[in-house]
Amino acid sequence: MFEYHKTLQYPVKIDHPNPKLASIIITQYGGPDGELGASLRYLSQRYSMPFDELKGLLTDIGTEELGHLEMIGAIVHQLTRNLKDSQIEDSAFAPYFVDHTTGVYPTSASGFPFSAASIAVTGDPLADLTEDLAAEQKARVTYDNILRLSDDPDVNDAIKFLREREIIHFQRFGEAADLLRRKLHQKNIYAVNPAIDL
Amino acid sequence: MFEYHKTLQYPVKIDHPNPKLASIIITQYGGPDGELGASLRYLSQRYSMPFDELKGLLTDIGTEELGHLEMIGAIVHQLTRNLKDSQIEDSAFAPYFVDHTTGVYPTSASGFPFSAASIAVTGDPLADLTEDLAAEQKARVTYDNILRLSDDPDVNDAIKFLREREIIHFQRFGEAADLLRRKLHQKNIYAVNPAIDL
Amino acid sequence: MFEYHKTLQYPVKIDHPNPKLASIIITQYGGPDGELGASLRYLSQRYSMPFDELKGLLTDIGTEELGHLEMIGAIVHQLTRNLKDSQIEDSAFAPYFVDHTTGVYPTSASGFPFSAASIAVTGDPLADLTEDLAAEQKARVTYDNILRLSDDPDVNDAIKFLREREIIHFQRFGEAADLLRRKLHQKNIYAVNPAIDL
Amino acid sequence: MFEYHKTLQYPVKIDHPNPKLASIIITQYGGPDGELGASLRYLSQRYSMPFDELKGLLTDIGTEELGHLEMIGAIVHQLTRNLKDSQIEDSAFAPYFVDHTTGVYPTSASGFPFSAASIAVTGDPLADLTEDLAAEQKARVTYDNILRLSDDPDVNDAIKFLREREIIHFQRFGEAADLLRRKLHQKNIYAVNPAIDL
Amino acid sequence: MFEYHKTLQYPVKIDHPNPKLASIIITQYGGPDGELGASLRYLSQRYSMPFDELKGLLTDIGTEELGHLEMIGAIVHQLTRNLKDSQIEDSAFAPYFVDHTTGVYPTSASGFPFSAASIAVTGDPLADLTEDLAAEQKARVTYDNILRLSDDPDVNDAIKFLREREIIHFQRFGEAADLLRRKLHQKNIYAVNPAIDL
Amino acid sequence: MFEYHKTLQYPVKIDHPNPKLASIIITQYGGPDGELGASLRYLSQRYSMPFDELKGLLTDIGTEELGHLEMIGAIVHQLTRNLKDSQIEDSAFAPYFVDHTTGVYPTSASGFPFSAASIAVTGDPLADLTEDLAAEQKARVTYDNILRLSDDPDVNDAIKFLREREIIHFQRFGEAADLLRRKLHQKNIYAVNPAIDL
């Protein structure tokens, strides 16, 4: 079970509303490579993951990503506070606004509601960890692209923190894949499941 | 941010594998009225909810539903442990198994991957709380139906606990809607938003 | 069965084309809280609704919403008549236009084709009526938001009529829920299904 | 606007519950080639259809298909009345039941909620009428397949009526396409839009 | 099986980047009436199509559409080469960019990922060929609309080629439907399947 | 562009119809980790992939996967030839049959139509290649699971060939990722994009 702590993992303090930027960043809330998908992927995969270290790693990172999801929600919320109607009308935020006002809804930037079709849980430890390596790379790219589109230093400070965490998670999943291969008595670097191949 | 505690909110101990039942119960993991949707709905709605009590209520219940999601995952996992291939082949579990083996994947019983299209975040406090009342009723019905389909006492013990929680959440959201109406100086019981109507 | 009458429920006469506004209002045609979803929800729920008054109410409101769907179609159509290509190119209407020209297609403002995942039919009368209360609140918010984004008095006249109807439907569903609770001999205001709980 | 008449277009009287068959026939309620899609397609296309005869045809057939949707709902409802729990548990109906009890929900037989992605409104009269010809053929095939899977004469009587109507609609859309080509001063039988090609 | 040849079916050479136009044309890559859907529809239908000429036709056109898909990919790619960040920020391309950078992803212009729900394979030869006639008309309309929105002669040259091919495919599918009707000993022009009707 | 050769990459000759098994194997046609997704992923990623060797690799494997898609289509087709109605009625194939007869339609085993939401094209070479490594692992697991569910030697012979190819593709994508890291002058084994991090 989970316990909530009222502080964000990393502070978010944004001074300037920017609904257009919010309509881009929402993709890390509910988009294909966002924090919801990340958290859900890891917290779901842990049931069938063998070895306590690996199960624990999935739980740890999955729980941390819940906190990242919260940070993205806070960024979107702060970017859309105190808007005037004219700021909405003229911006790319209007199609989002009509359905969600300034609430935080799990959707991609292009308006596709979050779908679990964008994550995989295969029940196979090697496939799941490789999926996770890909997930962290894809999340990193999305943060790269947000940084390319945003010039708000308040936003970028938080986004850089989140981006950095994805890189660290990528490394930890890489170590986990190595550990798994060793546990499975595999030598070759591009491992396949020995239970099936041998 | 969130902290993970290793114990389930309520214990799950299932002795008899039953992949067919697992393929039904998974709907409370990723189905239209399941725990993932519930948690995501409440944790997302809180950003735009006014009044600290109401924001806190959404956070509390949203966090508790994360723990319920974990319990459903545990039920599905325990119902599919140590299966023989013949148990899979002959059961309604096969279409799930081919894509997810015995991993826990967020899908409805009918195989539709979780979609945020089944939840709403409107940014309007009255609409969001009414959505939540509906959500709790729908989750309650799903648990009713699981109880109708299952005769495993181990499963039913946990399902009854979860069902009971939905009823309590329904009552708390009802009280929250009343509180909101009072705060908005509304008298009529079927409240509409005075900021817009008057 | 249904009979068609050639007049709209409320007249729609729009003088000024405005494709950008059309691309927002289309969400009440095929979006998550739009008239298609409303009509489909009520007309589907009536099969399993007990008590003739309640079945009749669902049929009445479901049929009326079909007429609202037609009104929204007429608004979108009139807002996109006689456009010049330059009016399309420069507007947020272009992504809609490339696939649908100026036809009326059931999609949300953000381009997600109508999905029945956004409506629920649970077969349980209390859950269904609570779902309907939420649906009316959500539709009301969407009309609020359209009014915030539009300054065309021709459009707003029709939108205000539609918004008013949602509020009346909300009240009627509230009365229906009360009636149902009485019929089920329930006293408590946040009713649960006695057939299951007692 | 629409007016509801309490009689079905063709009577449905089914004596024997059969949840398995219901789980197949539901596809004509909310599946890819079902009555909901048919009605929605035609009633949506009419806004941009030129020529009063053609607009009227779309309205007529679209309205009739609403009545067919109602008939399918009645069939599914009657096939699932008075079920015992054991009849549900053992049948392919269980994944539907857990989310919808015995309510009538717009989904395909395979459990995919109705999606407007399965219909097209192009705003081009020739493309729309060709889409409609295809729609009627596809609906006809689905009825063929239901007849192959059902041996209940009560069900088949109504299904045969519906199938016959699709064939008549196909013929009427064929005549409409011919009329359109003549109106567009086109001679060639595989017509293309002269406004664009010449 | 398929063999790849390094030349495009028709040359694509675009000098001027235009991310806004790319965000429209992508709809022929992964949108409802695009080349991916076309190719997938025909190559899938051929398994159940009787008569070698018809099976061969589906294979031929399906394979050609794969080449068209490649052309559309090349157009999108060339329209988004060497962009400056400012060109992305200010354009309708940003919601696409954040998730896909300048990669080519199968989505509609409105951001809905390609869904096979937009194509049909019915296993019935007449229904499938009628579906194909509709598909070609719808693709033709989409190309019409791209031509209305684009004034880049390099783009339009390739788009006109593709549009022309759809018209030819429409004619070939018309001939195929005629051939099928003759093979089925049918006289009436709006053919129905004699295996079922007689 | 593509050229079709009439022979399958590996022969498929299945003697015994088995619609239930077909309803499982279809997942490699249109399911989340199937051959359609694989082919589409690689053929789409190549536009933005730098370095000719890597672009060529994506083209080669993407083209080969088209041939695998064809093999899966042939397997499903041969498993559903010459069925009697009773073989359909009694099997898990019925929900598929009602919409597609015995045509080959791109869907998962659980009836979710193929969605591009299950593939990623990020425009970033490292993220795309990591996605591809995950894709091959996931496809391998699906073939593992088919082998667990099937005891038809004719089917298994072809499935084993396809499974073997996924393992080889995994190795080639591993080598490609190494090559890319070297080209980007990266030393660390869990590489991140130096263009952004340094």
PDB file of all heavy atoms in Angstrom, chain D residues 168-179:
ATOM      1  N   ILE D 168     -32.048  -3.875 -48.794  1.00  0.00           N
ATOM      2  CA  ILE D 168     -32.848  -2.805 -49.415  1.00  0.00           C
ATOM      3  C   ILE D 168     -32.122  -1.464 -49.299  1.00  0.00           C
ATOM      4  O   ILE D 168     -32.083  -0.687 -50.265  1.00  0.00           O
ATOM      5  CB  ILE D 168     -34.251  -2.765 -48.754  1.00  0.00           C
ATOM      6  CG1 ILE D 168     -35.036  -4.011 -49.198  1.00  0.00           C
ATOM      7  CG2 ILE D 168     -34.993  -1.475 -49.128  1.00  0.00           C
ATOM      8  CD1 ILE D 168     -36.290  -4.263 -48.386  1.00  0.00           C
ATOM      9  N   HIS D 169     -31.510  -1.221 -48.164  1.00  0.00           N
ATOM     10  CA  HIS D 169     -30.744   0.031 -48.028  1.00  0.00           C
ATOM     11  C   HIS D 169     -29.586   0.078 -49.022  1.00  0.00           C
ATOM     12  O   HIS D 169     -29.282   1.117 -49.591  1.00  0.00           O
ATOM     13  CB  HIS D 169     -30.190   0.174 -46.608  1.00  0.00           C
ATOM     14  CG  HIS D 169     -31.240   0.337 -45.559  1.00  0.00           C
ATOM     15  ND1 HIS D 169     -30.978   0.208 -44.214  1.00  0.00           N
ATOM     16  CD2 HIS D 169     -32.560   0.629 -45.648  1.00  0.00           C
ATOM     17  CE1 HIS D 169     -32.088   0.409 -43.524  1.00  0.00           C
ATOM     18  NE2 HIS D 169     -33.062   0.648 -44.368  1.00  0.00           N
ATOM     19  N   PHE D 170     -28.927  -1.070 -49.211  1.00  0.00           N
ATOM     20  CA  PHE D 170     -27.836  -1.129 -50.182  1.00  0.00           C
ATOM     21  C   PHE D 170     -28.346  -0.720 -51.555  1.00  0.00           C
ATOM     22  O   PHE D 170     -27.714   0.069 -52.273  1.00  0.00           O
ATOM     23  CB  PHE D 170     -27.259  -2.550 -50.221  1.00  0.00           C
ATOM     24  CG  PHE D 170     -26.139  -2.731 -51.200  1.00  0.00           C
ATOM     25  CD1 PHE D 170     -24.888  -2.183 -50.959  1.00  0.00           C
ATOM     26  CD2 PHE D 170     -26.334  -3.446 -52.384  1.00  0.00           C
ATOM     27  CE1 PHE D 170     -23.841  -2.347 -51.864  1.00  0.00           C
ATOM     28  CE2 PHE D 170     -25.300  -3.623 -53.292  1.00  0.00           C
ATOM     29  CZ  PHE D 170     -24.049  -3.063 -53.025  1.00  0.00           C
ATOM     30  N   GLN D 171     -29.509  -1.231 -51.919  1.00  0.00           N
ATOM     31  CA  GLN D 171     -30.062  -0.879 -53.228  1.00  0.00           C
ATOM     32  C   GLN D 171     -30.396   0.610 -53.297  1.00  0.00           C
ATOM     33  O   GLN D 171     -30.123   1.265 -54.303  1.00  0.00           O
ATOM     34  CB  GLN D 171     -31.295  -1.741 -53.507  1.00  0.00           C
ATOM     35  CG  GLN D 171     -30.889  -3.205 -53.766  1.00  0.00           C
ATOM     36  CD  GLN D 171     -32.056  -4.166 -53.778  1.00  0.00           C
ATOM     37  OE1 GLN D 171     -33.086  -3.935 -53.137  1.00  0.00           O
ATOM     38  NE2 GLN D 171     -31.895  -5.270 -54.493  1.00  0.00           N
ATOM     39  N   ARG D 172     -30.943   1.134 -52.217  1.00  0.00           N
ATOM     40  CA  ARG D 172     -31.304   2.561 -52.245  1.00  0.00           C
ATOM     41  C   ARG D 172     -30.056   3.441 -52.315  1.00  0.00           C
ATOM     42  O   ARG D 172     -30.065   4.477 -52.996  1.00  0.00           O
ATOM     43  CB  ARG D 172     -32.150   2.923 -51.022  1.00  0.00           C
ATOM     44  CG  ARG D 172     -33.516   2.201 -51.067  1.00  0.00           C
ATOM     45  CD  ARG D 172     -34.499   2.770 -50.093  1.00  0.00           C
ATOM     46  NE  ARG D 172     -34.877   4.144 -50.432  1.00  0.00           N
ATOM     47  CZ  ARG D 172     -35.538   4.958 -49.612  1.00  0.00           C
ATOM     48  NH1 ARG D 172     -35.868   4.541 -48.409  1.00  0.00           N
ATOM     49  NH2 ARG D 172     -35.843   6.183 -49.987  1.00  0.00           N
ATOM     50  N   PHE D 173     -28.999   3.040 -51.629  1.00  0.00           N
ATOM     51  CA  PHE D 173     -27.761   3.826 -51.722  1.00  0.00           C
ATOM     52  C   PHE D 173     -27.149   3.701 -53.123  1.00  0.00           C
ATOM     53  O   PHE D 173     -26.529   4.637 -53.625  1.00  0.00           O
ATOM     54  CB  PHE D 173     -26.747   3.400 -50.657  1.00  0.00           C
ATOM     55  CG  PHE D 173     -27.054   3.947 -49.284  1.00  0.00           C
ATOM     56  CD1 PHE D 173     -27.178   3.106 -48.188  1.00  0.00           C
ATOM     57  CD2 PHE D 173     -27.208   5.318 -49.084  1.00  0.00           C
ATOM     58  CE1 PHE D 173     -27.466   3.616 -46.917  1.00  0.00           C
ATOM     59  CE2 PHE D 173     -27.493   5.837 -47.815  1.00  0.00           C
ATOM     60  CZ  PHE D 173     -27.629   4.983 -46.738  1.00  0.00           C
ATOM     61  N   GLY D 174     -27.328   2.530 -53.750  1.00  0.00           N
ATOM     62  CA  GLY D 174     -26.858   2.378 -55.130  1.00  0.00           C
ATOM     63  C   GLY D 174     -27.592   3.330 -56.061  1.00  0.00           C
ATOM     64  O   GLY D 174     -26.982   4.014 -56.896  1.00  0.00           O
ATOM     65  N   GLU D 175     -28.908   3.403 -55.903  1.00  0.00           N
ATOM     66  CA  GLU D 175     -29.688   4.345 -56.714  1.00  0.00           C
ATOM     67  C   GLU D 175     -29.289   5.792 -56.427  1.00  0.00           C
ATOM     68  O   GLU D 175     -29.222   6.630 -57.330  1.00  0.00           O
ATOM     69  CB  GLU D 175     -31.185   4.157 -56.428  1.00  0.00           C
ATOM     70  CG  GLU D 175     -31.739   2.827 -56.947  1.00  0.00           C
ATOM     71  CD  GLU D 175     -32.973   2.355 -56.181  1.00  0.00           C
ATOM     72  OE1 GLU D 175     -33.531   3.159 -55.408  1.00  0.00           O
ATOM     73  OE2 GLU D 175     -33.362   1.183 -56.353  1.00  0.00           O
ATOM     74  N   ALA D 176     -28.999   6.056 -55.164  1.00  0.00           N
ATOM     75  CA  ALA D 176     -28.596   7.418 -54.794  1.00  0.00           C
ATOM     76  C   ALA D 176     -27.262   7.784 -55.443  1.00  0.00           C
ATOM     77  O   ALA D 176     -27.081   8.913 -55.919  1.00  0.00           O
ATOM     78  CB  ALA D 176     -28.497   7.526 -53.266  1.00  0.00           C
ATOM     79  N   ALA D 177     -26.339   6.817 -55.471  1.00  0.00           N
ATOM     80  CA  ALA D 177     -25.044   7.085 -56.105  1.00  0.00           C
ATOM     81  C   ALA D 177     -25.237   7.350 -57.594  1.00  0.00           C
ATOM     82  O   ALA D 177     -24.581   8.232 -58.178  1.00  0.00           O
ATOM     83  CB  ALA D 177     -24.090   5.907 -55.874  1.00  0.00           C
ATOM     84  N   ASP D 178     -26.138   6.613 -58.215  1.00  0.00           N
ATOM     85  CA  ASP D 178     -26.446   6.847 -59.633  1.00  0.00           C
ATOM     86  C   ASP D 178     -27.018   8.247 -59.841  1.00  0.00           C
ATOM     87  O   ASP D 178     -26.623   8.970 -60.764  1.00  0.00           O
ATOM     88  CB  ASP D 178     -27.477   5.825 -60.128  1.00  0.00           C
ATOM     89  CG  ASP D 178     -26.822   4.505 -60.476  1.00  0.00           C
ATOM     90  OD1 ASP D 178     -25.577   4.438 -60.488  1.00  0.00           O
ATOM     91  OD2 ASP D 178     -27.571   3.538 -60.715  1.00  0.00           O
ATOM     92  N   LEU D 179     -27.952   8.597 -59.006  1.00  0.00           N
ATOM     93  CA  LEU D 179     -28.564   9.916 -59.091  1.00  0.00           C
ATOM     94  C   LEU D 179     -27.509  11.013 -58.934  1.00  0.00           C
ATOM     95  O   LEU D 179     -27.489  11.990 -59.683  1.00  0.00           O
ATOM     96  CB  LEU D 179     -29.630  10.050 -57.984  1.00  0.00           C
ATOM     97  CG  LEU D 179     -30.314  11.414 -57.866  1.00  0.00           C
ATOM     98  CD1 LEU D 179     -31.166  11.710 -59.101  1.00  0.00           C
ATOM     99  CD2 LEU D 179     -31.187  11.469 -56.606  1.00  0.00           C
TER     100      LEU D 179
END
